[in-house]
Amino acid sequence: MKIVESPHEAYAHADHWRREGLSIGLVPTMGALHAGHFSLVRRSTQECDVTAASIFVNPTQFSPEEDLSRYPRTLEDDLAGLRELGCGLVFVPQPQQVYPEGFSTYVSPPATAKPLEGRFRPDHFRGVTTVVIKLFQILPASIAYFGQKDFQQLAVIKKMVEDLNVPIRVVSCATIREEDGLALSSRNRYLSAEERERALCLSRALNQVHSLVSQGLSQVAQLEHEMHRILKPATDSIDYATIVDRETLDPMVEIDRPAVALIAAHVGKTRLIDNRLIGE
Ligand code: PAF
């Protein structure tokens, strides 16, 4: 497995593979890898000739209030896991290699970036789309794999790829959960045992909405009320617990088309997100 820091070197490897006619799968990450990330890598190794991953804690997607320096970094374990899965290349740049002195060009993200996370983390998707388009240039893959756990991120990246004619297929992979339902996240390691127990209310609320919809309940206001009822006693604050159109992320009144229920809530000092597709 090649480990490269330099964008030029990473591109040279990808270019060589492409000239050899090999398909490249790309798994962009911020490290602190868990079974969710490894499922993306596994899928890429099954579907593509070679797999490249990136590990970069992207400063431009963190706001000044969010503690970038506190983000977990577990590089040695990450590399060992990727090596074991047969990853061919890992791009691990330093911040100044991605954002050199004088860097000033950013992507203006699509409308789907405005609601939900966009309301609470205003410049987050500007940073995400900018780094993702850079990664797509540095490692021009055939397919890029992202987890459905970050549902809005996926929607924003898919739209950017469509709008900017980026010749990469974006594939969404199912959220990986612990046996008790907790969605895997690098941030789960911040939770104390007591907070982890409370954090289960996110998947419980989403499951409840899913089962109510299966039973025929379709009024979004009622469903959202139910999510809040479950979340309120167990969380410290709720940023949103809502149901939106799965394509546009616009608010809905009734579940009359494919939708997604999304939650962002704080448990202790940790902000957790989760979602579930409904109304298939
Ligand atoms: O989902 C993530 O880990 C990050 O937002 C991404 C896509 C790697 C961009 O920094």
Side-chain angles (χ1 to χ4, degrees), residues 185-233:
S185 161
S186 304
R187 291 186 164 94
N188 289 352
R189 68 190 73 202
Y190 299 142
L191 298 168
S192 67
E194 181 269 334
E195 288 168 348
R196 194 199 169 287
E197 196 55 36
R198 288 198 281 132
L200 294 176
C201 69
L202 274 78
S203 55
R204 242 196 350 262
L206 293 168
N207 291 345
Q208 170 72 347
V209 159
H210 188 267
S211 92
L212 289 173
V213 172
S214 319
Q215 287 162 39
L217 193 69
S218 67
Q219 293 305 307
V220 167
Q222 276 177 290
L223 294 163
E224 290 181 347
H225 183 267
E226 186 59 12
M227 286 202 281
H228 279 89
R229 187 188 67 75
I230 295 170
L231 294 169
K232 202 139 185 242

mmCIF file of all heavy atoms in Angstrom, residues 185-233:
data_model
loop_
_atom_site.group_PDB
_atom_site.id
_atom_site.type_symbol
_atom_site.label_atom_id
_atom_site.label_comp_id
_atom_site.label_asym_id
_atom_site.label_seq_id
_atom_site.Cartn_x
_atom_site.Cartn_y
_atom_site.Cartn_z
ATOM 1 N N SER A 185 -19.881 6.454 14.184
ATOM 2 C CA SER A 185 -19.367 7.793 13.899
ATOM 3 C C SER A 185 -18.054 7.952 14.633
ATOM 4 O O SER A 185 -17.893 7.432 15.751
ATOM 5 C CB SER A 185 -20.366 8.840 14.415
ATOM 6 O OG SER A 185 -19.726 10.093 14.554
ATOM 7 N N SER A 186 -17.133 8.678 14.013
ATOM 8 C CA SER A 186 -15.841 8.928 14.682
ATOM 9 C C SER A 186 -16.068 9.682 15.992
ATOM 10 O O SER A 186 -15.245 9.620 16.894
ATOM 11 C CB SER A 186 -14.927 9.737 13.771
ATOM 12 O OG SER A 186 -14.774 9.066 12.545
ATOM 13 N N ARG A 187 -17.193 10.409 16.076
ATOM 14 C CA ARG A 187 -17.459 11.218 17.272
ATOM 15 C C ARG A 187 -18.024 10.392 18.438
ATOM 16 O O ARG A 187 -18.084 10.900 19.554
ATOM 17 C CB ARG A 187 -18.417 12.360 16.931
ATOM 18 C CG ARG A 187 -17.772 13.401 16.028
ATOM 19 C CD ARG A 187 -18.678 14.595 15.810
ATOM 20 N NE ARG A 187 -17.951 15.723 15.268
ATOM 21 C CZ ARG A 187 -17.849 16.009 13.972
ATOM 22 N NH1 ARG A 187 -18.422 15.238 13.092
ATOM 23 N NH2 ARG A 187 -17.176 17.072 13.559
ATOM 24 N N ASN A 188 -18.439 9.138 18.167
ATOM 25 C CA ASN A 188 -19.004 8.315 19.251
ATOM 26 C C ASN A 188 -17.999 8.109 20.371
ATOM 27 O O ASN A 188 -18.372 7.885 21.512
ATOM 28 C CB ASN A 188 -19.456 6.946 18.736
ATOM 29 C CG ASN A 188 -20.699 7.040 17.863
ATOM 30 O OD1 ASN A 188 -21.299 8.110 17.759
ATOM 31 N ND2 ASN A 188 -21.070 5.958 17.227
ATOM 32 N N ARG A 189 -16.706 8.185 20.031
ATOM 33 C CA ARG A 189 -15.688 7.926 21.072
ATOM 34 C C ARG A 189 -15.683 9.018 22.138
ATOM 35 O O ARG A 189 -15.087 8.854 23.180
ATOM 36 C CB ARG A 189 -14.314 7.727 20.444
ATOM 37 C CG ARG A 189 -13.714 8.938 19.806
ATOM 38 C CD ARG A 189 -12.484 8.569 19.004
ATOM 39 N NE ARG A 189 -12.858 7.873 17.765
ATOM 40 C CZ ARG A 189 -12.048 7.075 17.087
ATOM 41 N NH1 ARG A 189 -10.842 6.846 17.525
ATOM 42 N NH2 ARG A 189 -12.450 6.509 15.973
ATOM 43 N N TYR A 190 -16.326 10.152 21.859
ATOM 44 C CA TYR A 190 -16.413 11.213 22.870
ATOM 45 C C TYR A 190 -17.462 10.905 23.941
ATOM 46 O O TYR A 190 -17.509 11.558 24.977
ATOM 47 C CB TYR A 190 -16.818 12.554 22.235
ATOM 48 C CG TYR A 190 -15.872 13.114 21.202
ATOM 49 C CD1 TYR A 190 -16.383 13.753 20.071
ATOM 50 C CD2 TYR A 190 -14.494 13.037 21.361
ATOM 51 C CE1 TYR A 190 -15.538 14.287 19.119
ATOM 52 C CE2 TYR A 190 -13.645 13.575 20.405
ATOM 53 C CZ TYR A 190 -14.173 14.201 19.285
ATOM 54 O OH TYR A 190 -13.351 14.731 18.342
ATOM 55 N N LEU A 191 -18.371 9.951 23.645
ATOM 56 C CA LEU A 191 -19.508 9.717 24.541
ATOM 57 C C LEU A 191 -19.101 8.910 25.766
ATOM 58 O O LEU A 191 -18.408 7.886 25.631
ATOM 59 C CB LEU A 191 -20.605 8.942 23.792
ATOM 60 C CG LEU A 191 -21.231 9.620 22.572
ATOM 61 C CD1 LEU A 191 -22.072 8.606 21.778
ATOM 62 C CD2 LEU A 191 -22.093 10.803 22.972
ATOM 63 N N SER A 192 -19.549 9.340 26.952
ATOM 64 C CA SER A 192 -19.369 8.514 28.148
ATOM 65 C C SER A 192 -20.377 7.356 28.059
ATOM 66 O O SER A 192 -21.281 7.387 27.206
ATOM 67 C CB SER A 192 -19.653 9.342 29.405
ATOM 68 O OG SER A 192 -21.034 9.668 29.427
ATOM 69 N N ALA A 193 -20.267 6.378 28.957
ATOM 70 C CA ALA A 193 -21.190 5.235 28.913
ATOM 71 C C ALA A 193 -22.632 5.713 29.058
ATOM 72 O O ALA A 193 -23.542 5.248 28.353
ATOM 73 C CB ALA A 193 -20.831 4.250 30.009
ATOM 74 N N GLU A 194 -22.827 6.679 29.938
ATOM 75 C CA GLU A 194 -24.185 7.186 30.182
ATOM 76 C C GLU A 194 -24.694 7.948 28.946
ATOM 77 O O GLU A 194 -25.853 7.813 28.540
ATOM 78 C CB GLU A 194 -24.143 8.083 31.441
ATOM 79 C CG GLU A 194 -25.458 8.697 31.877
ATOM 80 C CD GLU A 194 -25.710 10.070 31.270
ATOM 81 O OE1 GLU A 194 -24.742 10.775 30.921
ATOM 82 O OE2 GLU A 194 -26.891 10.440 31.129
ATOM 83 N N GLU A 195 -23.811 8.731 28.320
ATOM 84 C CA GLU A 195 -24.216 9.479 27.118
ATOM 85 C C GLU A 195 -24.489 8.528 25.948
ATOM 86 O O GLU A 195 -25.408 8.740 25.162
ATOM 87 C CB GLU A 195 -23.111 10.473 26.731
ATOM 88 C CG GLU A 195 -23.014 11.646 27.686
ATOM 89 C CD GLU A 195 -21.744 12.468 27.482
ATOM 90 O OE1 GLU A 195 -20.818 12.023 26.767
ATOM 91 O OE2 GLU A 195 -21.669 13.551 28.073
ATOM 92 N N ARG A 196 -23.683 7.476 25.850
ATOM 93 C CA ARG A 196 -23.877 6.514 24.763
ATOM 94 C C ARG A 196 -25.257 5.875 24.858
ATOM 95 O O ARG A 196 -25.933 5.655 23.863
ATOM 96 C CB ARG A 196 -22.776 5.447 24.814
ATOM 97 C CG ARG A 196 -22.718 4.639 23.531
ATOM 98 C CD ARG A 196 -21.999 3.341 23.674
ATOM 99 N NE ARG A 196 -22.208 2.524 22.481
ATOM 100 C CZ ARG A 196 -23.350 1.916 22.183
ATOM 101 N NH1 ARG A 196 -24.397 2.042 22.976
ATOM 102 N NH2 ARG A 196 -23.469 1.208 21.082
ATOM 103 N N GLU A 197 -25.669 5.586 26.076
ATOM 104 C CA GLU A 197 -26.994 5.010 26.307
ATOM 105 C C GLU A 197 -28.068 6.002 25.835
ATOM 106 O O GLU A 197 -29.016 5.623 25.145
ATOM 107 C CB GLU A 197 -27.124 4.733 27.820
ATOM 108 C CG GLU A 197 -28.245 3.811 28.225
ATOM 109 C CD GLU A 197 -28.230 2.466 27.523
ATOM 110 O OE1 GLU A 197 -27.126 1.936 27.263
ATOM 111 O OE2 GLU A 197 -29.331 1.964 27.211
ATOM 112 N N ARG A 198 -27.873 7.278 26.203
ATOM 113 C CA ARG A 198 -28.863 8.293 25.796
ATOM 114 C C ARG A 198 -28.869 8.493 24.280
ATOM 115 O O ARG A 198 -29.903 8.779 23.675
ATOM 116 C CB ARG A 198 -28.558 9.622 26.501
ATOM 117 C CG ARG A 198 -28.882 9.587 27.984
ATOM 118 C CD ARG A 198 -28.997 10.969 28.558
ATOM 119 N NE ARG A 198 -27.722 11.617 28.837
ATOM 120 C CZ ARG A 198 -27.400 12.851 28.476
ATOM 121 N NH1 ARG A 198 -28.255 13.581 27.790
ATOM 122 N NH2 ARG A 198 -26.234 13.380 28.794
ATOM 123 N N ALA A 199 -27.670 8.321 23.673
ATOM 124 C CA ALA A 199 -27.554 8.561 22.223
ATOM 125 C C ALA A 199 -28.416 7.597 21.404
ATOM 126 O O ALA A 199 -28.742 7.877 20.241
ATOM 127 C CB ALA A 199 -26.091 8.439 21.800
ATOM 128 N N LEU A 200 -28.812 6.503 22.011
ATOM 129 C CA LEU A 200 -29.656 5.528 21.295
ATOM 130 C C LEU A 200 -31.020 6.105 20.933
ATOM 131 O O LEU A 200 -31.732 5.550 20.098
ATOM 132 C CB LEU A 200 -29.841 4.270 22.154
ATOM 133 C CG LEU A 200 -28.588 3.448 22.405
ATOM 134 C CD1 LEU A 200 -28.879 2.297 23.351
ATOM 135 C CD2 LEU A 200 -28.044 2.917 21.079
ATOM 136 N N CYS A 201 -31.371 7.235 21.565
ATOM 137 C CA CYS A 201 -32.684 7.825 21.262
ATOM 138 C C CYS A 201 -32.768 8.285 19.811
ATOM 139 O O CYS A 201 -33.859 8.381 19.246
ATOM 140 C CB CYS A 201 -33.015 8.962 22.220
ATOM 141 S SG CYS A 201 -31.990 10.406 21.974
ATOM 142 N N LEU A 202 -31.624 8.563 19.169
ATOM 143 C CA LEU A 202 -31.681 9.008 17.764
ATOM 144 C C LEU A 202 -32.215 7.883 16.875
ATOM 145 O O LEU A 202 -33.176 8.073 16.127
ATOM 146 C CB LEU A 202 -30.297 9.460 17.261
ATOM 147 C CG LEU A 202 -29.925 10.919 17.537
ATOM 148 C CD1 LEU A 202 -29.495 11.110 18.975
ATOM 149 C CD2 LEU A 202 -28.828 11.406 16.612
ATOM 150 N N SER A 203 -31.603 6.698 16.974
ATOM 151 C CA SER A 203 -32.072 5.602 16.113
ATOM 152 C C SER A 203 -33.469 5.158 16.537
ATOM 153 O O SER A 203 -34.280 4.763 15.699
ATOM 154 C CB SER A 203 -31.088 4.434 16.117
ATOM 155 O OG SER A 203 -30.845 4.007 17.422
ATOM 156 N N ARG A 204 -33.766 5.281 17.868
ATOM 157 C CA ARG A 204 -35.112 4.903 18.326
ATOM 158 C C ARG A 204 -36.165 5.812 17.696
ATOM 159 O O ARG A 204 -37.197 5.352 17.201
ATOM 160 C CB ARG A 204 -35.182 4.997 19.850
ATOM 161 C CG ARG A 204 -35.473 3.688 20.482
ATOM 162 C CD ARG A 204 -35.931 3.676 21.915
ATOM 163 N NE ARG A 204 -35.866 4.893 22.656
ATOM 164 C CZ ARG A 204 -34.872 5.225 23.498
ATOM 165 N NH1 ARG A 204 -33.853 4.420 23.666
ATOM 166 N NH2 ARG A 204 -34.894 6.353 24.162
ATOM 167 N N ALA A 205 -35.880 7.106 17.659
ATOM 168 C CA ALA A 205 -36.844 8.062 17.081
ATOM 169 C C ALA A 205 -37.028 7.788 15.585
ATOM 170 O O ALA A 205 -38.148 7.837 15.061
ATOM 171 C CB ALA A 205 -36.355 9.491 17.318
ATOM 172 N N LEU A 206 -35.940 7.491 14.909
ATOM 173 C CA LEU A 206 -36.027 7.233 13.460
ATOM 174 C C LEU A 206 -36.782 5.936 13.178
ATOM 175 O O LEU A 206 -37.594 5.867 12.254
ATOM 176 C CB LEU A 206 -34.614 7.163 12.857
ATOM 177 C CG LEU A 206 -33.840 8.489 12.876
ATOM 178 C CD1 LEU A 206 -32.373 8.257 12.545
ATOM 179 C CD2 LEU A 206 -34.448 9.508 11.915
ATOM 180 N N ASN A 207 -36.540 4.918 14.010
ATOM 181 C CA ASN A 207 -37.256 3.647 13.828
ATOM 182 C C ASN A 207 -38.749 3.820 14.068
ATOM 183 O O ASN A 207 -39.576 3.237 13.373
ATOM 184 C CB ASN A 207 -36.706 2.576 14.779
ATOM 185 C CG ASN A 207 -35.301 2.165 14.394
ATOM 186 O OD1 ASN A 207 -34.845 2.457 13.292
ATOM 187 N ND2 ASN A 207 -34.605 1.515 15.310
ATOM 188 N N GLN A 208 -39.064 4.631 15.081
ATOM 189 C CA GLN A 208 -40.469 4.867 15.409
ATOM 190 C C GLN A 208 -41.190 5.543 14.230
ATOM 191 O O GLN A 208 -42.271 5.134 13.837
ATOM 192 C CB GLN A 208 -40.539 5.740 16.684
ATOM 193 C CG GLN A 208 -41.910 6.263 17.022
ATOM 194 C CD GLN A 208 -42.852 5.167 17.532
ATOM 195 O OE1 GLN A 208 -42.559 3.973 17.413
ATOM 196 N NE2 GLN A 208 -43.984 5.572 18.058
ATOM 197 N N VAL A 209 -40.536 6.557 13.657
ATOM 198 C CA VAL A 209 -41.126 7.245 12.499
ATOM 199 C C VAL A 209 -41.308 6.255 11.349
ATOM 200 O O VAL A 209 -42.355 6.224 10.699
ATOM 201 C CB VAL A 209 -40.213 8.431 12.080
ATOM 202 C CG1 VAL A 209 -40.463 8.845 10.655
ATOM 203 C CG2 VAL A 209 -40.447 9.600 13.008
ATOM 204 N N HIS A 210 -40.291 5.442 11.119
ATOM 205 C CA HIS A 210 -40.365 4.468 10.032
ATOM 206 C C HIS A 210 -41.539 3.521 10.248
ATOM 207 O O HIS A 210 -42.318 3.244 9.334
ATOM 208 C CB HIS A 210 -39.054 3.680 9.950
ATOM 209 C CG HIS A 210 -38.973 2.791 8.754
ATOM 210 N ND1 HIS A 210 -39.364 1.477 8.790
ATOM 211 C CD2 HIS A 210 -38.582 3.034 7.497
ATOM 212 C CE1 HIS A 210 -39.205 0.949 7.593
ATOM 213 N NE2 HIS A 210 -38.720 1.875 6.787
ATOM 214 N N SER A 211 -41.720 3.071 11.493
ATOM 215 C CA SER A 211 -42.804 2.104 11.699
ATOM 216 C C SER A 211 -44.166 2.806 11.652
ATOM 217 O O SER A 211 -45.124 2.236 11.147
ATOM 218 C CB SER A 211 -42.561 1.269 12.961
ATOM 219 O OG SER A 211 -43.163 1.845 14.066
ATOM 220 N N LEU A 212 -44.259 4.049 12.123
ATOM 221 C CA LEU A 212 -45.544 4.768 12.021
ATOM 222 C C LEU A 212 -45.931 4.978 10.557
ATOM 223 O O LEU A 212 -47.101 4.859 10.183
ATOM 224 C CB LEU A 212 -45.464 6.109 12.747
ATOM 225 C CG LEU A 212 -45.417 6.035 14.278
ATOM 226 C CD1 LEU A 212 -45.167 7.409 14.896
ATOM 227 C CD2 LEU A 212 -46.705 5.432 14.845
ATOM 228 N N VAL A 213 -44.939 5.305 9.727
ATOM 229 C CA VAL A 213 -45.230 5.505 8.299
ATOM 230 C C VAL A 213 -45.671 4.173 7.682
ATOM 231 O O VAL A 213 -46.623 4.138 6.902
ATOM 232 C CB VAL A 213 -44.007 6.108 7.560
ATOM 233 C CG1 VAL A 213 -44.225 6.139 6.049
ATOM 234 C CG2 VAL A 213 -43.717 7.515 8.071
ATOM 235 N N SER A 214 -45.015 3.093 8.069
ATOM 236 C CA SER A 214 -45.424 1.771 7.530
ATOM 237 C C SER A 214 -46.844 1.437 7.946
ATOM 238 O O SER A 214 -47.565 0.743 7.240
ATOM 239 C CB SER A 214 -44.528 0.643 8.019
ATOM 240 O OG SER A 214 -43.215 1.035 8.008
ATOM 241 N N GLN A 215 -47.258 1.960 9.135
ATOM 242 C CA GLN A 215 -48.630 1.690 9.593
ATOM 243 C C GLN A 215 -49.646 2.630 8.945
ATOM 244 O O GLN A 215 -50.825 2.573 9.231
ATOM 245 C CB GLN A 215 -48.715 1.857 11.114
ATOM 246 C CG GLN A 215 -48.049 0.739 11.903
ATOM 247 C CD GLN A 215 -47.788 1.165 13.340
ATOM 248 O OE1 GLN A 215 -48.599 1.850 13.959
ATOM 249 N NE2 GLN A 215 -46.649 0.781 13.864
ATOM 250 N N GLY A 216 -49.156 3.594 8.145
ATOM 251 C CA GLY A 216 -50.087 4.444 7.406
ATOM 252 C C GLY A 216 -50.124 5.902 7.853
ATOM 253 O O GLY A 216 -50.824 6.717 7.243
ATOM 254 N N LEU A 217 -49.397 6.261 8.900
ATOM 255 C CA LEU A 217 -49.387 7.674 9.313
ATOM 256 C C LEU A 217 -48.576 8.477 8.292
ATOM 257 O O LEU A 217 -47.464 8.093 7.945
ATOM 258 C CB LEU A 217 -48.756 7.802 10.710
ATOM 259 C CG LEU A 217 -48.971 9.145 11.389
ATOM 260 C CD1 LEU A 217 -50.425 9.336 11.784
ATOM 261 C CD2 LEU A 217 -48.088 9.256 12.639
ATOM 262 N N SER A 218 -49.144 9.592 7.819
ATOM 263 C CA SER A 218 -48.415 10.300 6.759
ATOM 264 C C SER A 218 -48.265 11.799 7.030
ATOM 265 O O SER A 218 -47.642 12.502 6.234
ATOM 266 C CB SER A 218 -49.108 10.065 5.418
ATOM 267 O OG SER A 218 -50.368 10.698 5.440
ATOM 268 N N GLN A 219 -48.845 12.288 8.126
ATOM 269 C CA GLN A 219 -48.737 13.722 8.414
ATOM 270 C C GLN A 219 -47.367 14.019 9.028
ATOM 271 O O GLN A 219 -47.041 13.554 10.127
ATOM 272 C CB GLN A 219 -49.843 14.157 9.383
ATOM 273 C CG GLN A 219 -51.238 14.089 8.793
ATOM 274 C CD GLN A 219 -51.353 14.883 7.496
ATOM 275 O OE1 GLN A 219 -51.002 16.070 7.454
ATOM 276 N NE2 GLN A 219 -51.795 14.232 6.425
ATOM 277 N N VAL A 220 -46.582 14.847 8.317
ATOM 278 C CA VAL A 220 -45.201 15.108 8.753
ATOM 279 C C VAL A 220 -45.174 15.787 10.131
ATOM 280 O O VAL A 220 -44.343 15.448 10.973
ATOM 281 C CB VAL A 220 -44.456 15.935 7.679
ATOM 282 C CG1 VAL A 220 -43.148 16.490 8.215
ATOM 283 C CG2 VAL A 220 -44.192 15.052 6.451
ATOM 284 N N ALA A 221 -46.104 16.704 10.386
ATOM 285 C CA ALA A 221 -46.103 17.410 11.680
ATOM 286 C C ALA A 221 -46.227 16.419 12.830
ATOM 287 O O ALA A 221 -45.516 16.529 13.840
ATOM 288 C CB ALA A 221 -47.233 18.439 11.720
ATOM 289 N N GLN A 222 -47.101 15.435 12.663
ATOM 290 C CA GLN A 222 -47.298 14.425 13.719
ATOM 291 C C GLN A 222 -46.047 13.567 13.902
ATOM 292 O O GLN A 222 -45.645 13.255 15.019
ATOM 293 C CB GLN A 222 -48.459 13.496 13.339
ATOM 294 C CG GLN A 222 -49.824 14.056 13.716
ATOM 295 C CD GLN A 222 -50.898 13.094 13.232
ATOM 296 O OE1 GLN A 222 -51.109 12.969 12.027
ATOM 297 N NE2 GLN A 222 -51.562 12.425 14.160
ATOM 298 N N LEU A 223 -45.448 13.217 12.769
ATOM 299 C CA LEU A 223 -44.251 12.361 12.818
ATOM 300 C C LEU A 223 -43.086 13.118 13.473
ATOM 301 O O LEU A 223 -42.342 12.565 14.278
ATOM 302 C CB LEU A 223 -43.871 11.904 11.402
ATOM 303 C CG LEU A 223 -44.882 10.970 10.738
ATOM 304 C CD1 LEU A 223 -44.665 10.903 9.223
ATOM 305 C CD2 LEU A 223 -44.783 9.565 11.340
ATOM 306 N N GLU A 224 -42.961 14.397 13.137
ATOM 307 C CA GLU A 224 -41.872 15.194 13.724
ATOM 308 C C GLU A 224 -42.106 15.379 15.232
ATOM 309 O O GLU A 224 -41.170 15.347 16.028
ATOM 310 C CB GLU A 224 -41.769 16.555 13.022
ATOM 311 C CG GLU A 224 -41.242 16.404 11.602
ATOM 312 C CD GLU A 224 -41.088 17.713 10.840
ATOM 313 O OE1 GLU A 224 -41.614 18.757 11.300
ATOM 314 O OE2 GLU A 224 -40.463 17.691 9.780
ATOM 315 N N HIS A 225 -43.364 15.543 15.595
ATOM 316 C CA HIS A 225 -43.714 15.682 17.010
ATOM 317 C C HIS A 225 -43.288 14.434 17.768
ATOM 318 O O HIS A 225 -42.735 14.499 18.867
ATOM 319 C CB HIS A 225 -45.221 15.926 17.137
ATOM 320 C CG HIS A 225 -45.645 16.156 18.546
ATOM 321 N ND1 HIS A 225 -46.080 15.133 19.361
ATOM 322 C CD2 HIS A 225 -45.653 17.265 19.302
ATOM 323 C CE1 HIS A 225 -46.343 15.606 20.559
ATOM 324 N NE2 HIS A 225 -46.093 16.907 20.548
ATOM 325 N N GLU A 226 -43.524 13.284 17.165
ATOM 326 C CA GLU A 226 -43.168 12.001 17.766
ATOM 327 C C GLU A 226 -41.638 11.895 17.951
ATOM 328 O O GLU A 226 -41.158 11.435 18.982
ATOM 329 C CB GLU A 226 -43.703 10.891 16.849
ATOM 330 C CG GLU A 226 -43.563 9.497 17.354
ATOM 331 C CD GLU A 226 -44.257 9.224 18.694
ATOM 332 O OE1 GLU A 226 -45.048 10.067 19.156
ATOM 333 O OE2 GLU A 226 -43.963 8.166 19.282
ATOM 334 N N MET A 227 -40.885 12.344 16.942
ATOM 335 C CA MET A 227 -39.416 12.299 17.073
ATOM 336 C C MET A 227 -38.973 13.176 18.244
ATOM 337 O O MET A 227 -38.151 12.766 19.068
ATOM 338 C CB MET A 227 -38.741 12.785 15.776
ATOM 339 C CG MET A 227 -38.816 11.776 14.660
ATOM 340 S SD MET A 227 -37.540 12.041 13.397
ATOM 341 C CE MET A 227 -38.240 13.385 12.483
ATOM 342 N N HIS A 228 -39.519 14.386 18.324
ATOM 343 C CA HIS A 228 -39.146 15.293 19.424
ATOM 344 C C HIS A 228 -39.514 14.690 20.775
ATOM 345 O O HIS A 228 -38.782 14.841 21.745
ATOM 346 C CB HIS A 228 -39.801 16.673 19.241
ATOM 347 C CG HIS A 228 -39.042 17.535 18.271
ATOM 348 N ND1 HIS A 228 -39.286 17.532 16.925
ATOM 349 C CD2 HIS A 228 -38.030 18.404 18.465
ATOM 350 C CE1 HIS A 228 -38.455 18.371 16.320
ATOM 351 N NE2 HIS A 228 -37.683 18.900 17.238
ATOM 352 N N ARG A 229 -40.679 14.027 20.846
ATOM 353 C CA ARG A 229 -41.127 13.417 22.102
ATOM 354 C C ARG A 229 -40.094 12.394 22.591
ATOM 355 O O ARG A 229 -39.790 12.314 23.776
ATOM 356 C CB ARG A 229 -42.492 12.741 21.886
ATOM 357 C CG ARG A 229 -43.144 12.216 23.155
ATOM 358 C CD ARG A 229 -44.395 11.399 22.851
ATOM 359 N NE ARG A 229 -44.110 10.156 22.147
ATOM 360 C CZ ARG A 229 -43.584 9.065 22.691
ATOM 361 N NH1 ARG A 229 -43.254 9.048 23.966
ATOM 362 N NH2 ARG A 229 -43.371 7.978 21.963
ATOM 363 N N ILE A 230 -39.527 11.635 21.662
ATOM 364 C CA ILE A 230 -38.541 10.616 22.044
ATOM 365 C C ILE A 230 -37.174 11.248 22.355
ATOM 366 O O ILE A 230 -36.481 10.848 23.285
ATOM 367 C CB ILE A 230 -38.418 9.556 20.920
ATOM 368 C CG1 ILE A 230 -39.737 8.793 20.786
ATOM 369 C CG2 ILE A 230 -37.259 8.596 21.168
ATOM 370 C CD1 ILE A 230 -39.842 7.881 19.576
ATOM 371 N N LEU A 231 -36.820 12.269 21.582
ATOM 372 C CA LEU A 231 -35.468 12.843 21.717
ATOM 373 C C LEU A 231 -35.311 13.751 22.932
ATOM 374 O O LEU A 231 -34.249 13.804 23.555
ATOM 375 C CB LEU A 231 -35.129 13.666 20.460
ATOM 376 C CG LEU A 231 -34.991 12.884 19.148
ATOM 377 C CD1 LEU A 231 -34.922 13.851 17.961
ATOM 378 C CD2 LEU A 231 -33.725 12.018 19.176
ATOM 379 N N LYS A 232 -36.395 14.484 23.241
ATOM 380 C CA LYS A 232 -36.279 15.558 24.239
ATOM 381 C C LYS A 232 -35.724 15.091 25.592
ATOM 382 O O LYS A 232 -34.754 15.683 26.089
ATOM 383 C CB LYS A 232 -37.639 16.236 24.413
ATOM 384 C CG LYS A 232 -37.510 17.604 24.970
ATOM 385 C CD LYS A 232 -38.435 18.579 24.304
ATOM 386 C CE LYS A 232 -38.101 19.933 24.873
ATOM 387 N NZ LYS A 232 -39.204 20.528 25.577
ATOM 388 N N PRO A 233 -36.281 14.040 26.190
ATOM 389 C CA PRO A 233 -35.786 13.677 27.525
ATOM 390 C C PRO A 233 -34.358 13.118 27.528
ATOM 391 O O PRO A 233 -33.699 13.148 28.565
ATOM 392 C CB PRO A 233 -36.769 12.595 27.994
ATOM 393 C CG PRO A 233 -37.572 12.199 26.827
ATOM 394 C CD PRO A 233 -37.395 13.185 25.739
#
